[in-house]
Amino acid sequence: MAIEKVREYFRSKGIEDRIQEFETSSATVALAAQALGCAENRIAKTLSFHVGEDIILVVAAGDAKIDNAKYKGFFGAKAKMLAFEEAEPLIGHAVGGVCPFAVNDGVKVYLDVSLKRFDTVFPACGSSNSAIELSLDELEEYSGFESWVDVCKVVTE
């Protein structure tokens, strides 16, 4: 299971004990927020895309959506999400547990500025019922990110 890869990765960093596992699903932003008892916007969702031959992950706030113009402006290509069945073999994590930790070699991670509103955020840990609370500095460190990007828009309802 992918959570075991993430658990081993975090064990090497000395923070394995911070992983939270839930009795219920945390596979969507709404379910994760409910399981954690936090606002949906503090969930750090990980979106996966094809950019030419590359596989990239964009970690964004739970209330953010890809802004197609900004995305194309930065990555030079239209946003093309991975299909459900592509996620696990290409990233190393299945849909519902996709996270920026312990990913397959060659997968590039970008952090969207929509996260910068928060002191801490909650990304998944490789399964559909897990999360970890990280500061933005920790998210940078543990995700091995390429750069901060501005490719989303915050959706207010």
Side-chain angles (χ1 to χ4, degrees), residues 2 6 18 21 24 30 47 50 53 56 69 73-74 78 80 83 85 96 101 106 125 128 133 148 150:
V6 175
R18 291 173 51 191
E21 290 186 81
T24 59
L47 306 169
H50 291 279
E53 297 299 312
I56 69 157
F74 185 84
K78 184 178 175 187
K80 183 178 184 291
E85 62 276 2
F101 318 113
C125 290
S128 61
E133 184 174 13
W148 283 94
D150 183 2

Side-chain angles (χ1 to χ4, degrees), residues 48-127:
S48 54
F49 300 92
H50 291 279
V51 176
E53 297 299 312
D54 293 331
I55 303 301
I56 69 157
L57 301 177
V58 175
V59 185
D63 61 348
K65 305 263 190 233
I66 291 295
D67 180 307
N68 290 318
K70 288 180 175 183
Y71 182 98
K72 188 171 185 177
F74 185 84
F75 291 109
K78 184 178 175 187
K80 183 178 184 291
M81 291 192 80
L82 269 62
F84 181 91
E85 62 276 2
E86 292 179 304
E88 192 165 15
L90 294 178
I91 301 167
H93 304 304
V95 171
V98 173
C99 65
F101 318 113
V103 296
N104 292 345
D105 288 343
V107 174
K108 296 178 181 172
V109 176
Y110 297 88
L111 305 178
D112 187 76
V113 297
S114 60
L115 296 167
K116 288 194 171 187
R117 298 173 283 160
F118 309 106
D119 293 328
T120 63
V121 293
F122 295 92
C125 290
S127 71

Side-chain angles (χ1 to χ4, degrees), residues 3-83:
I3 190 169
E4 292 309 321
K5 286 181 8 186
V6 175
R7 189 182 313 284
E8 183 59 34
Y9 174 72
F10 281 149
R11 185 176 298 126
S12 75
K13 305 294 184 189
I15 63 164
E16 171 197 12
D17 60 333
R18 291 173 51 191
I19 295 173
Q20 299 178 53
E21 290 186 81
F22 313 109
E23 297 292 322
T24 59
S25 175
S26 59
T28 67
V29 168
L31 290 172
Q34 186 175 8
L36 286 157
C38 73
E40 290 184 15
N41 56 8
R42 289 191 55 217
I43 302 302
K45 64 184 176 184
T46 304
L47 306 169
S48 54
F49 300 92
H50 291 279
V51 176
E53 297 299 312
D54 293 331
I55 303 301
I56 69 157
L57 301 177
V58 175
V59 185
D63 61 348
K65 305 263 190 233
I66 291 295
D67 180 307
N68 290 318
K70 288 180 175 183
Y71 182 98
K72 188 171 185 177
F74 185 84
F75 291 109
K78 184 178 175 187
K80 183 178 184 291
M81 291 192 80
L82 269 62

